[in-house]
Amino acid sequence: MARLNGKATRIAVFSLVIIGLIFFLSNTSGPTYVQSVNKTKSNDANVVDQSQKSSVNGLFPDGRENATFVSLARNEDLWELVSAIRSVEDRFNVKYKYDWVFLNNEPFNDEFKTVMKTLVSGEAKFGVIPKEHWSYPEWISQEKAAQTRHDMKNIIYGSSESYRHMCRYESGFFYRHPLMLNYKYYWRVEPSTLLHCDVNFDVFKFMRENNKDYAFTITIHEFVDTIKTLWQTTKDFIKENPEVIAKDNLEKFVSNDGMESYNLCHYWTNFEVANMDFWRGEAYSKYFEYLDKNGGFFYERWGDAPVHSIAASLFLPQDRVHYFKEIGYFHGPYHNCPIEDSVREENKCMCKPNDDFTWKDYSCTRLYHDVKGLQKPKGWEKHTG
Ligand SMILES: Nc1nc2c(ncn2[C@@H]2O[C@H](COP(=O)(O)OP(=O)(O)O)[C@@H](O)[C@H]2O)c(=O)[nH]1
Ligand SMILES: *[C@@H]1O[C@H](CO)[C@@H](O)[C@H](O)[C@H]1NC(C)=O
Ligand SMILES: [Mg+2]
């Protein structure tokens, strides 16, 4: 009896320990990448529930498009980002109230969150980037990466390690962040940028109704030293995956010699409005993975701008790419400043037409118009110098 009792007790204790362990493990959540979500709506619970459901036309139940702003930033970027967001809010979002997702490789501090919550008119959401999206993959030699940073110290951001993580993140990961998975379209906003004109239409509705997947305001040539093997790697990828190439694409925007070489033209990604279905789709996913395995984000200094631009130019039909000529925009040192009086008046632009970068030689927007057969505005020739 005593022995039986002892055995029974041991079994009972053992079972309890196991059950307890299972209970403990099932309640230990992994790292959480959603810092906090600020509800600005009155009927919070209702909004949360509803937003999880998808409706037939792909809109949120309150009629907004399935879209968000997104800003990647450090805590110390706070005040430079404040001015950029204030400008977007005043010129556009005060009318439409889209959400704003903030992403950071470190947790945002309370000051950052408090200031942003009061600034944006939609919901403010703060996310931490998973470690594996902002660190070295196992196939990368960190010694070789360090050597590259040393060798490239005379090139802009050439010696920066964080800039490389940033470019890799913006190339292949931001659209996979848990907070971003709730949305289809995004508008990227960076610190120290500015809108020069009112935006009097729903940019996201425009994207959906006109079947646009990628839209830009400024184009420019890339520094060739940062992407020495990007084009060859791209061609190798295409040889292995010829099906990714879209019919009627914008190949001529990125290559002047029938794909032999890259002409360095790219959309300046500090402004970007795009459909994340494209980044999440098979062609781009395979492309990013191929580039990432190659190592050029670390062994060179591949930017997200040429990567996004080459993909959008080759893997999308050209009518899915759009230039927002009426969205006056500034990111140092360049401006997209409408030169047509009618556009300037209608949208209350405050930039100097002479500052416009669009028609200058170092821009690629003239080429974009020529490739697509688009009409250039009257007087563009006077703005090339
Ligand atoms: N969280 C975080 N954001 C970064 C980091 N480096 C750059 N960014 C963000 O990435 C974007 C591009 O960086 P920026 O310094 O503007 O580069 P530039 O426009 O190419 O000169 C901006 O939104 C920055 O706030 C970083 O180390 N951490
Ligand atoms: C918005 O888009 C995301 C990603 O495609 C999707 O998961 C979500 O269900 C959509 N929401 C609505 C309301 O349609
Ligand atoms: Mg910037």
Side-chain angles (χ1 to χ4, degrees):
M1 194 71 183
R3 267 175 57 186
L4 233 177
N5 252 350
K7 196 180 177 191
T9 309
R10 278 197 301 277
I11 290 170
V13 168
F14 182 72
S15 309
L16 274 174
V17 166
I18 293 295
I19 289 165
L21 201 64
I22 290 168
F23 188 75
F24 172 75
L25 286 176
S26 66
N27 274 278
T28 316
S29 49
T32 168
Y33 301 116
V34 178
Q35 242 189 306
S36 59
V37 175
N38 177 47
K39 306 290 176 196
T40 52
K41 312 276 164 10
S42 47
N43 51 345
D44 277 1
N46 196 29
V47 170
V48 181
D49 278 340
Q50 291 297 312
S51 68
Q52 301 308 321
K53 291 185 202 155
S54 63
S55 49
V56 260
N57 56 0
L59 303 182
F60 283 117
D62 61 7
R64 286 179 307 161
E65 297 289 326
N66 190 347
T68 184
F69 285 93
V70 61
S71 292
L72 175 68
R74 295 155 288 212
N75 284 307
E76 59 265 34
D77 293 322
L78 172 61
W79 298 106
E80 282 73 29
L81 190 55
V82 160
S83 54
I85 291 178
R86 184 75 260 168
S87 160
V88 171
E89 284 289 335
D90 292 348
R91 293 294 205 167
F92 171 81
N93 203 37
V94 69
K95 291 169 284 202
Y96 299 103
K97 303 191 169 23
Y98 285 105
D99 297 343
W100 212 297
V101 172
F102 298 92
L103 300 175
N104 189 353
N105 55 308
E106 284 172 2
F108 284 111
N109 60 33
D110 289 341
E111 184 189 25
F112 190 101
K113 288 190 281 187
T114 306
V115 171
M116 292 311 179
K117 277 178 198 173
T118 57
L119 197 59
V120 304
S121 50
E123 287 181 23
K125 306 183 181 187
F126 302 90
V128 179
I129 293 168
K131 188 93 188 126
E132 60 275 22
H133 292 176
W134 195 286
S135 55
Y136 292 98
E138 29 92 12
W139 61 86
I140 294 294
S141 155
Q142 294 193 40
E143 273 152 59
K144 189 173 164 188
Q147 184 61 45
T148 303
R149 295 198 298 279
H150 176 79
D151 296 343
M152 290 180 71
K153 62 179 180 295
N154 295 324
I155 294 163
I156 182 163
Y157 296 119
S159 60
S160 172
E161 187 173 34
S162 63
Y163 196 83
R164 285 183 173 77
H165 287 301
M166 183 277 287
C167 289
R168 177 170 175 261
Y169 186 75
E170 292 287 34
S171 295
F173 297 106
F174 78 92
Y175 51 86
R176 299 191 237 174
H177 191 281
L179 287 176
M180 295 300 284
L181 293 176
N182 296 321
Y183 304 100
K184 181 174 165 118
Y185 298 98
Y186 68 95
W187 177 338
R188 172 170 163 184
V189 176
E190 279 200 3
S192 308
T193 59
L194 196 67
L195 287 186
H196 284 310
C197 312
D198 283 351
V199 181
N200 290 315
F201 61 100
D202 185 337
V203 165
F204 298 117
K205 185 172 181 220
F206 173 90
M207 297 292 287
R208 179 176 56 79
E209 288 187 339
N210 294 283
N211 290 318
K212 302 296 183 189
D213 288 331
Y214 192 87
F216 65 93
T217 52
I218 292 175
T219 65
I220 191 168
H221 289 79
E222 183 57 297
F223 300 109
V224 67
D225 288 340
T226 64
I227 49 159
K228 283 188 172 138
T229 67
L230 175 59
W231 190 252
Q232 188 53 52
T233 310
T234 300
K235 287 204 289 185
D236 295 344
F237 169 75
I238 292 169
K239 198 170 243 169
E240 285 178 36
N241 302 276
E243 74 284 354
V244 297
I245 299 296
K247 238 180 101 197
D248 298 321
N249 63 20
L250 275 170
E251 173 196 312
K252 289 190 165 67
F253 178 70
V254 287
S255 181
N256 303 336
D257 52 14
M259 292 292 285
E260 187 58 31
S261 66
Y262 180 33
N263 63 12
L264 307 177
C265 282
H266 63 278
Y267 309 115
W268 224 21
T269 50
N270 47 69
F271 174 104
E272 235 178 16
V273 178
N275 179 355
M276 287 182 279
D277 289 351
F278 177 55
W279 309 131
R280 292 165 182 157
E282 196 179 343
Y284 187 79
S285 299
K286 273 193 192 166
Y287 180 56
F288 173 74
E289 196 178 325
Y290 193 92
L291 296 182
D292 201 28
K293 284 272 151 51
N294 174 284
F297 290 107
F298 297 107
Y299 302 149
E300 295 183 10
R301 207 226 66 199
W302 294 351
D304 53 286
V307 170
H308 281 186
S309 302
I310 290 170
S313 300
L314 299 179
F315 310 162
L316 284 175
Q318 59 172 268
D319 57 6
R320 290 192 166 254
V321 180
H322 182 73
Y323 166 50
F324 281 125
K325 67 167 188 176
E326 66 283 82
I327 301 187
Y329 172 73
F330 171 74
H331 176 295
Y334 300 116
H335 303 261
N336 182 46
C337 179
I339 58 170
E340 294 161 285
D341 286 341
S342 58
V343 176
R344 298 174 56 79
E345 281 158 27
E346 189 184 339
N347 303 296
K348 302 190 170 72
C349 297
M350 63 173 197
C351 51
K352 293 185 220 150
N354 280 342
D355 287 341
D356 182 34
F357 184 64
T358 312
W359 311 105
K360 306 256 194 280
D361 286 343
Y362 200 45
S363 161
C364 294
T365 307
R366 207 188 313 167
L367 174 66
Y368 175 85
H369 280 70
D370 292 341
V371 171
K372 280 187 119 178
L374 298 174
Q375 203 173 352
K376 301 195 263 298
K378 248 199 200 82
W380 70 270
E381 303 93 334
K382 283 179 263 157
H383 292 273
T384 57

